[in-house]
Amino acid sequence: MVNDYSHLKDNLRRALDAIGEAASQAHRDPSEVRVVAVTKNHPPEAVRAAFQAGISLIGENRVQEALAKRGELEDLDVTWLMIGHLQRNKVRKALEVFHQVHSLDSMELALALNRVLSEGAGEGRRPPLPVLLEVNVSGEAAKHGVMPQGALQLAETVLERCPMLDLKGLMCVGPLTEDEREIRSAFASLREIRDRLEERLLIELPELSMGMSSDFHLAVMEGSTMVRLGTCLFGPRGVF
Ligand SMILES: *Cc1c(COP(=O)(O)O)cnc(C)c1O
């Protein structure tokens, strides 16, 4: 597939306008919402184009793919975010490329990350590693993420047993539906889970990563601080 990313700046401007619109409807400051460029299944040039357009948060969902791209982009000062399911046996490799993990979905993964980081992995960067807990707010079987009722225990595990991890907030993928009310209510429940965790654990969890190309305006209305945009910035995904 040929894709020169010449429309990226226009696409980004449109997305930022939509974020501004949704934020103002919700009486929020649009600067509270950052854009993560999701470059999975796009070549390294997509990351470079995003950086040139002013985006420094890059989301990838596969370790090998991110490693391959990162090798060609050593000159870019971007923050690599893991947003896909991370297998425990890939933790060491993942820490070679990712600066943050936004898809922390199990106690085992938290402990594995903590262990590998305490052995000194994650070359060139200092722990603690910023993490977000991925919560399966829609309860769909195909989705990753800890179930809402397991979020407290997972958060406690991170706080009590994982000094190498820095819990910053929560992440979710919205439900697969076109029903806007259902989508909004899923995003609202992520925010409510966050609020409850803050109360129970007496911590601050400022980050809510929610909203993708098709639903980010709804996520912004419900308090998103990070929208993860792929298709609406880069066009359809090819095979990298
Ligand atoms: C692919 C992906 C995105 C981006 O999806 P688009 O619909 O292309 O914007 C966001 N978040 C996660 C977790 C993804 O896997």
Side-chain angles (χ1 to χ4, degrees), residues 38 40 83 171 173 212-213 228-231 237:
V38 178
K40 68 182 188 203
I83 62 168
M171 181 271 230
V173 175
M212 312 185 0
S213 292
R228 305 180 308 268
L229 306 182
T231 313
R237 281 182 274 278

Side-chain angles (χ1 to χ4, degrees), residues 2-180:
V2 179
N3 198 335
D4 62 5
Y5 306 113
S6 58
H7 297 296
L8 176 61
K9 280 196 172 122
D10 289 337
N11 294 347
L12 177 60
R13 191 165 308 120
R14 258 194 300 279
L16 291 173
D17 285 348
I19 289 169
E21 179 81 16
S24 85
Q25 278 188 47
H27 308 289
R28 298 186 61 204
D29 176 351
S31 72
E32 292 169 6
V33 186
R34 277 168 306 151
V35 171
V36 175
V38 178
T39 49
K40 68 182 188 203
N41 294 102
H42 286 278
E45 296 77 66
V47 180
R48 197 170 287 285
F51 181 73
Q52 280 159 2
I55 304 177
S56 62
L57 299 176
I58 303 298
E60 285 278 342
N61 68 339
R62 286 170 49 225
V63 174
Q64 285 304 335
E65 186 180 331
L67 267 171
K69 282 177 213 180
R70 171 95 190 273
E72 298 185 35
L73 299 166
E74 295 288 1
D75 57 313
L76 295 192
D77 186 16
V78 294
T79 303
W80 293 86
L81 312 176
M82 178 54 168
I83 62 168
H85 180 60
L86 178 55
Q87 289 168 296
R88 262 181 297 163
N89 61 0
K90 300 228 173 99
V91 157
R92 201 171 292 276
K93 277 257 167 265
L95 290 170
E96 288 175 26
V97 54
F98 291 108
H99 301 99
Q100 303 187 10
V101 172
H102 287 190
S103 45
L104 184 57
D105 56 5
S106 74
M107 222 181 307
E108 293 74 21
L109 178 60
L111 294 170
L113 283 164
N114 188 67
R115 185 172 57 249
V116 172
L117 284 164
S118 28
E119 290 163 7
E123 131 270 349
R125 66 191 75 103
R126 294 271 147 265
L129 178 82
V131 296
L132 305 183
L133 303 190
E134 181 174 358
V135 183
N136 185 350
V137 283
S138 61
E140 290 166 52
K143 286 221 159 71
H144 290 293
V146 62
M147 286 297 165
Q149 58 273 24
L152 176 63
Q153 195 186 14
L154 180 53
E156 283 173 338
T157 299
V158 173
L159 295 177
E160 290 164 13
R161 297 174 62 191
C162 302
M164 297 289 169
L165 305 185
D166 183 11
L167 182 56
K168 295 284 194 193
L170 305 181
M171 181 271 230
C172 77
V173 175
L176 202 62
T177 171
E178 297 195 342
D179 181 345
E180 294 208 344

